[in-house]
Amino acid sequence: MDLDAYSAAHRAEWDRLAALGRRRQLSGAQSDELIQAYQAGATQLSVIKTAAGSTMQGDRLSVLLSRARLRFTGAGTNVLSQLPRFFLTQLPAALHRLRWLTLAVAVVTFVVAGLYAVWATNNPDVLANFGSPAELEQLANQSFVSYYSENPAASFAGRVWTNNAWIAAQCVAFGILGVYVPYIVLQNAQNLGVTAAVMFAYDEGDTFFLYIAPHGLLELTAIFVAAAAGLRIFWAWIAPGARTRGQALAEDARALFTVAIGLVFVLLVSGIIEGFVTPAPWPWPVKIGIGAAALLAFLAYMLVLGGRAVRAGETGDLAEFEAGSARVFAG
């Protein structure tokens, strides 16, 4: 291998690696660029050492890589000090950017659920496909209500929390596939519609709404947000605009991962309401009021605090948070 020619071919990359390694602060895009330059430089150093052993060019590149690595492994600010910014600006900004898509997902869900409910209620043959008359009566008169109290409240709350958080994470992670999020949305709508149809068929429509409302107001909204995040990632791949598809996916996925983290906490709240409030022997106005208050608090966080963060220039991008965290947790 002609070492001089190889060095000349990659000199611009090494100069850029050196420049990024010397910067006191890095933006999100520069952090990504530094990581890519570090990975490329490590590969190039391996090529040099394999072909020529210890060389001046290899030693210089090794120093540049060490300096770059220190940007992520050196002493830095405790990650806990970055949490206020995450919860007060980054997360609400990321949620705010999904507000209209979240509304669209909610409208589609309720329209499809309503159509399923009307179709099944007005067609006994359709309703019969979901179980025998005895099974449907059992669901309407006993199983639907007992589901919320047949297990200890703490374990039930934990189970529904982890299940819903897993569904939300899947919506974000698999959103790029394009078909996964619509499948989840339609499946959720079908389940709502069919259950409502069974309950109304046996004159338990009020029971359906009374037991769904306390926790469902916040829980369903969180799932709508997760679905919106997944669809946003898919759209970044379909229509990246002036960005390359890789850039669009990286930027939007990083920002929407913020949403996935935030929804874990939102769904924890809805899980606690479902486990402890929904089955509680309290007046229904109190239980529904608690669910409504939780929803209003989330909407204020998303729309009011999020709008303020967006107007202040916050993007919801996790790059700076990740860069600071890497200095604490990296080797």
Side-chain angles (χ1 to χ4, degrees):
M1 182 181 73
D2 188 334
L3 186 58
D4 291 335
Y6 187 83
S7 299
H10 295 285
R11 189 170 306 282
E13 299 174 50
W14 299 347
D15 290 343
R16 182 57 178 165
L17 177 63
L20 290 170
R22 287 193 299 267
R23 291 184 66 91
R24 294 180 61 86
Q25 292 184 338
L26 295 172
S27 66
Q30 289 170 337
S31 296
D32 290 339
E33 185 182 0
L34 179 59
I35 292 173
Q36 293 170 356
Y38 177 88
Q39 293 171 336
T43 301
Q44 293 154 6
L45 178 61
S46 177
V47 171
I48 292 174
K49 287 185 175 292
T50 300
S54 180
T55 62
M56 182 176 66
Q57 293 91 333
D59 291 342
R60 175 177 179 268
L61 181 55
S62 180
V63 170
L64 294 178
L65 291 171
S66 297
R67 182 180 298 160
R69 186 173 183 273
L70 284 174
R71 296 308 309 272
F72 299 100
T73 61
T77 305
N78 191 304
V79 66
L80 295 178
S81 66
Q82 301 179 53
L83 290 179
R85 181 190 172 195
F86 175 79
F87 285 108
L88 294 177
T89 60
Q90 287 179 317
L91 177 56
L95 290 169
H96 186 267
R97 294 180 185 279
L98 294 172
R99 63 195 185 283
W100 295 117
L101 196 50
T102 298
L103 178 61
V105 172
V107 170
V108 169
T109 298
F110 289 128
V111 168
V112 173
L115 292 175
Y116 264 109
V118 172
W119 179 48
T121 301
N122 294 327
N123 293 275
D125 292 339
V126 174
L127 205 60
N129 290 325
F130 300 105
S132 66
E135 291 172 335
L136 296 179
E137 185 176 3
Q138 171 78 10
L139 170 64
N141 295 328
Q142 182 176 349
S143 299
F144 182 81
V145 173
S146 64
Y147 166 76
Y148 296 99
S149 57
E150 60 188 4
N151 293 299
S155 63
F156 178 65
R159 188 178 71 194
V160 297
W161 171 44
T162 53
N163 178 67
N164 290 329
W166 175 238
I167 292 173
Q170 286 180 307
C171 285
V172 178
F174 300 139
I176 190 174
L177 299 178
V179 297
Y180 186 80
V181 170
Y183 167 75
I184 290 295
V185 170
L186 293 178
Q187 184 184 57
N188 195 34
Q190 181 186 25
N191 290 338
L192 277 174
V194 170
T195 303
V198 173
M199 299 297 288
F200 274 91
Y202 289 89
D203 297 323
E204 293 289 348
D206 57 338
T207 302
F208 172 78
F209 287 112
L210 289 175
Y211 274 85
I212 288 291
H215 64 274
L217 293 171
L218 183 60
E219 179 184 291
L220 289 173
T221 301
I223 298 300
F224 297 155
V225 171
L231 292 173
R232 179 71 175 268
I233 292 175
F234 176 67
W235 190 248
W237 180 68
I238 293 295
R243 304 172 294 178
T244 66
R245 280 189 168 82
Q247 289 174 329
L249 283 174
E251 293 170 3
D252 285 5
R254 189 169 54 223
L256 295 172
F257 183 68
T258 309
V259 173
I261 295 174
L263 290 180
V264 170
F265 297 97
V266 176
L267 290 168
L268 173 60
V269 174
S270 71
I272 291 172
I273 295 174
E274 186 168 0
F276 291 91
V277 176
T278 298
W282 302 341
W284 283 109
V286 173
K287 296 198 283 188
I288 295 176
I290 291 173
L295 175 62
L296 289 175
F298 176 72
L299 292 178
Y301 183 79
M302 178 183 188
L303 301 177
V304 179
L305 191 60
R308 187 180 303 159
V310 169
R311 289 190 294 272
E314 180 61 63
T315 65
D317 196 319
L318 268 183
E320 294 182 17
F321 183 85
E322 291 170 343
S325 300
R327 288 195 285 269
V328 176
F329 294 114

